[in-house]
Amino acid sequence: MSKTFCPLLFQHLATHPHGGVTHCCIADHRKAISASRDGDRYYNLNRDTVHDTMNSQSYRTARLQVLDDKMPAACMRCYREEKRGVKSKRLIEIENYPEYTVEVAQDATDSDGYMKDVQLDFVELRLGNVCNVACRTCNPASSSKWRNDYDKLQDSLTFKLTSYNTMEGFRWPEREEFWEDLLQHCDRVKTFYINGGEPTLIKQHFKFLQRLADMGKTDIKLWYNINMTNMNEDIIEIWRQFDHVKVSCSIDDLGKRNEYIRHPTKWDDVMRNFLRLKEEDFEIDVTQTVSWMNYSTLDEFWDFFYNKHDVWVHHNYVYDPDILSPAVLPKSIRDKIHEKFSKTFDESRLQELLSLFNGPDQPNKWSQAIQYTRNLDKIRNQNIKDYLEEF
């Protein structure tokens, strides 16, 4: 059996807010997108069908590579994590789809990597960038509310940030043609993972869900990641029609700390919506985006949600921009944090954090992180000291 096999390359659609598609949500976007080029064009759901996108050169090449025990360039993050002893997304998805074996993949794939009948098991929809929150770990590609601040921030820094000016339109989730096309590839779909932007603001996808329910396709798992600001009874009523609904609550810290990182949310609103969701028969967890801003309080956050509210906390580590990663904190600070964690986290979680964030000092990156934060504070009329007192 191939040691590099990943079922996602054969039955998974991973969209991004600007309409681009990559092999999965953590695939290297630059390498995946460049590899998706056929002639002089890139595949994008603003104009391309699901079938054509899933059969682009990028997908075909990667399929053949994993069937031949090779590592696609866009997928190296998983292989690197596995080498460090971290359970990668690839390994998790192999467990999630045990029936989608190498043999099944080979039967569905032509000799050039082409799939004639594209049927999706797992659909990941990042529905544009419409959002009412401008989290400090986000950017204009995932939040429309970031645009003005990002332009000002770019102009004020002595180093360059990623440019999002060349991305295509973010309005593909409003296209009726997209939803009609997607429906043709959902005969056996098991999971819709729905993100944004903020997906609760995208009305078109709720019409699609209601259509699935009217067709009797209610055995699908709906898995959301939402910012906890826009919950209402109409949304809950649609979700109730499906057999399995999972809501991952995007919360990064407690109280005023969360209000600073996830600007301009209000903690009372977040907790009110969180407690309302817990009243339903939904699966609830918390997705915590981990940056240097909240790294020192991961244990307190875990205690609040897991021990007090009996809700699992999943960590989403910041990789881009890298100046927001916990890895840029001075080593002396990280050592003190890890010592604190050793008294609260189990060995498995502690070792995962150490494997990711126990490297040497990066003084240039830390200097950039400070400049980034101070300048954004000025733009937003905030001061980190008023919210994150350890800084």
Side-chain angles (χ1 to χ4, degrees):
M1 174 181 174
S2 167
K3 295 179 181 178
T4 65
F5 176 73
C6 181
L8 297 185
L9 288 166
F10 302 84
Q11 41 82 296
H12 173 48
L13 180 71
T15 72
H16 295 278
H18 52 84
V21 176
T22 50
H23 301 156
C24 79
C25 64
I26 67 168
D28 188 315
H29 295 194
R30 292 158 296 186
K31 292 179 180 176
I33 292 173
S34 64
S36 295
R37 189 171 181 175
D38 284 3
D40 290 322
R41 64 192 300 278
Y42 296 91
Y43 283 83
N44 189 292
L45 294 173
N46 282 286
R47 60 171 182 260
D48 296 307
T49 66
V50 172
H51 182 274
D52 288 349
T53 301
M54 292 288 290
N55 279 303
S56 65
Q57 187 61 52
S58 173
Y59 269 95
R60 298 203 306 269
T61 299
R63 287 181 191 127
L64 294 179
Q65 286 175 322
V66 299
L67 291 176
D68 195 31
D69 210 18
K70 297 176 181 176
M71 300 180 184
C75 305
M76 292 306 297
R77 175 174 163 181
C78 276
Y79 304 125
R80 286 194 296 266
E81 289 181 352
E82 291 164 20
K83 191 174 182 179
R84 293 198 300 265
V86 177
K87 192 172 186 179
S88 69
K89 181 175 178 62
R90 183 184 79 91
L91 296 178
I92 291 171
E93 299 302 347
I94 287 174
E95 289 183 359
N96 287 340
Y97 298 95
E99 73 283 358
Y100 211 100
T101 63
V102 171
E103 291 73 25
V104 171
Q106 288 171 332
D107 289 342
T109 308
D110 291 347
S111 59
D112 63 351
Y114 182 86
M115 297 183 70
K116 182 177 180 180
D117 184 22
V118 175
Q119 286 299 328
L120 303 167
D121 290 65
F122 180 15
V123 178
E124 188 167 344
L125 297 173
R126 283 179 164 76
L127 298 174
N129 70 340
V130 173
C131 191
N132 56 347
V133 177
C135 303
R136 283 178 174 256
T137 54
C138 197
N139 55 63
S142 295
S143 171
S144 54
K145 199 170 182 65
W146 243 109
R147 183 72 269 172
N148 289 338
D149 287 354
Y150 201 79
D151 289 343
K152 294 175 184 177
L153 190 58
Q154 282 181 308
D155 292 340
S156 71
L157 297 174
T158 60
F159 57 93
K160 289 186 178 181
L161 296 175
T162 300
S163 174
Y164 297 99
N165 296 326
T166 58
M167 287 186 170
E168 297 190 46
F170 293 87
R171 304 190 66 173
W172 59 272
E174 301 173 19
R175 292 178 55 242
E176 190 68 37
E177 297 89 341
F178 164 74
W179 298 104
E180 287 292 334
D181 179 37
L182 178 62
L183 190 63
Q184 308 310 310
H185 303 280
C186 291
D187 289 352
R188 68 179 192 213
V189 68
K190 298 181 179 67
T191 303
F192 278 101
Y193 174 62
I194 302 174
N195 202 328
E198 172 51 31
T200 61
L201 298 174
I202 308 302
K203 296 180 180 179
Q204 197 69 31
H205 98 277
F206 286 118
K207 295 179 181 179
F208 177 76
L209 293 183
Q210 188 59 59
R211 186 172 177 184
L212 290 175
D214 293 343
M215 295 170 61
K217 291 181 174 290
T218 57
D219 58 344
I220 297 169
K221 177 181 179 179
L222 301 182
W223 177 11
Y224 277 81
N225 199 297
I226 61 175
N227 66 24
M228 306 306 294
T229 66
N230 189 48
M231 186 52 52
N232 62 59
E233 296 305 312
D234 290 340
I235 293 172
I236 289 175
E237 189 58 38
I238 290 177
W239 289 351
R240 282 177 179 159
Q241 299 177 68
F242 291 84
D243 295 349
H244 187 179
V245 176
K246 176 179 178 178
V247 182
S248 293
C249 309
S250 288
I251 307 172
D252 292 344
D253 216 318
L254 305 177
K256 66 179 183 179
R257 299 176 63 91
N258 192 68
E259 293 179 351
Y260 178 75
I261 298 171
R262 300 187 64 83
H263 173 78
T265 59
K266 299 301 179 185
W267 182 247
D268 288 346
D269 295 339
V270 169
M271 284 306 298
R272 182 178 63 253
N273 288 324
F274 172 78
L275 295 173
R276 174 64 186 89
L277 284 176
K278 286 199 71 180
E279 296 174 3
E280 295 294 322
D281 190 25
F282 302 150
E283 180 184 355
I284 306 294
D285 68 13
V286 171
T287 298
Q288 182 184 25
T289 297
V290 179
S291 67
W292 61 259
M293 289 175 280
N294 61 358
Y295 194 57
S296 67
T297 58
L298 295 189
D299 51 347
E300 298 161 39
F301 190 87
W302 173 267
D303 180 65
F304 181 83
F305 280 105
Y306 183 70
N307 294 329
K308 293 182 181 178
H309 287 283
D310 195 29
V311 170
W312 183 263
V313 177
H314 171 73
H315 285 165
N316 174 36
Y317 302 116
V318 175
Y319 286 90
D320 185 18
D322 59 359
I323 60 170
L324 297 184
S325 167
V328 307
L329 282 169
K331 184 71 161 56
S332 59
I333 294 178
R334 281 179 283 137
D335 288 344
K336 291 178 182 178
I337 293 171
H338 293 151
E339 175 62 26
K340 182 164 75 94
F341 288 170
S342 69
K343 301 173 183 177
T344 53
F345 283 145
D346 62 33
E347 186 66 19
S348 175
R349 181 156 289 214
L350 178 62
Q351 288 304 313
E352 178 173 313
L353 294 172
L354 288 172
S355 71
L356 293 171
F357 305 122
N358 201 32
D361 279 321
Q362 302 181 58
N364 185 54
K365 294 292 185 183
W366 180 233
S367 177
Q368 290 180 350
I370 291 172
Q371 183 187 158
Y372 182 99
T373 301
R374 284 177 174 166
N375 289 19
L376 186 56
D377 276 355
K378 289 179 182 178
I379 292 168
R380 295 183 175 178
N381 195 28
Q382 294 177 309
N383 189 323
I384 188 172
K385 297 176 184 178
D386 296 333
Y387 300 88
L388 313 184
E389 295 174 357
E390 68 273 29
F391 295 105

